[in-house]
Amino acid sequence: MNNSVSFIFAITLFIEVVTGTLGNGFIALVNITDWVKRGKISSVDQILTALAFSRLSLVWSVLICILAFKLCPHLFMNSEMLIVTEVTWIVNNHFSIWLATCLSVFYFLKVANFSNSLFLYLKWRVKKVMLVTLVVSLVILILNIVVTLESTHLWIDSSAEIMFDSLRNLTQFPRALLVTNSSHVFLPTNSMFMFIPFTVSLVAFLLLIFSLCKHLRKMQVNAKQPRDAGTMAHMKALKIGFSFLIVYAIYLLFIVIEVLSFGLVEDVMIIIFDYSSRLAFPTSHSFVLILGNSKLRRATLSVLWWLRCQFKDTNTLGY
């Protein structure tokens, strides 16, 4: 059982790391190359580039953590290492989620059309709105870290003394149990803060739907084509927002399943499920962004066409 679980874990981790690195690295490379050529970069490309780098950092920090856990298990015998690991995860995951939320809010402000004075004020100051959103997210990040540290110290004071005494003999106490028990503290705390950006993106998505309905009614009254530029812009923004909500909702569902599985399955399985779900979100959403962005989609087609030509040339020379 342990061998099969380890094999599945290794394959899953390898696929997620490779695809996450390729997807997010491709987004960053295309935008930076375009920035160098044009000498400027748009606001949406700035968000996408920052998002790609944050997710690259997230993917590789999780990989390094797993490798350290497998190669140097003694490092996880002390609470300080667990705290450093979890804080690193919180910071990387925070920027990965909140930059994606900023992208949803950006599309909403750029595409939606309301006559409300507050909305118009925010629409014409979209860059300041993005900056304020990130500043507010930093406050939430600090609060998340503080709450997590306090919860961790309470957990250590109440139960860690017995646990660490047992962990001195690995044959008597599984080393995975320390990480598993720490998840009882970290997961519920982090989940509370992870619902905040999801709620913000959901509100932006619902308002965008309302704006689209209003726009379509206006088009019907004026006897215009329903698929005009405004409608197409709405649909594009809705696709991007909906993809983020779906992927993020699945990720939150994984967290709920993981919390409910405490005590019901093996400790190793919980750890495998934890790290696999952590990498699934930044990996899958990057490819959704590539398909939803016209520039990235064209760059992808160009790369695929180049690879196809190289493959044909190789076969021709071989023949």
Side-chain angles (χ1 to χ4, degrees), residues 58 88-98 194 251 281:
L58 176 64
T88 302
W89 152 251
I90 290 175
V91 172
N92 288 323
N93 186 61
H94 174 89
F95 285 108
S96 172
I97 294 174
W98 273 100
M194 291 170 64
Y251 175 53
F281 171 66

Side-chain angles (χ1 to χ4, degrees), residues 239-281:
K239 289 178 181 179
I240 294 176
F242 182 72
S243 64
F244 171 68
L245 290 174
I246 288 295
V247 175
Y248 196 31
I250 295 174
Y251 175 53
L252 293 176
L253 179 62
F254 283 164
I255 294 178
V256 173
I257 294 175
E258 184 178 348
V259 173
L260 294 177
S261 65
F262 285 143
L264 300 178
V265 298
E266 297 179 11
D267 300 325
V268 176
M269 289 298 297
I270 295 178
I271 297 174
I272 292 174
F273 190 81
D274 181 25
Y275 284 112
S276 298
S277 61
R278 289 186 182 195
L279 290 181
F281 171 66

Side-chain angles (χ1 to χ4, degrees), residues 1-53:
M1 178 63 181
N2 290 334
N3 291 334
S4 61
V5 169
S6 300
F7 178 76
I8 294 174
F9 171 62
I11 295 299
T12 303
L13 176 64
F14 176 77
I15 293 174
E16 289 179 334
V17 169
V18 171
T19 55
T21 302
L22 290 177
N24 292 291
F26 180 78
I27 294 175
L29 180 62
V30 171
N31 287 329
I32 291 176
T33 302
D34 187 66
W35 184 10
V36 172
K37 290 181 179 180
R38 297 175 179 269
K40 59 180 181 180
I41 183 172
S42 63
S43 298
V44 64
D45 287 342
Q46 291 178 20
I47 299 175
L48 285 172
T49 304
L51 179 60
F53 277 116

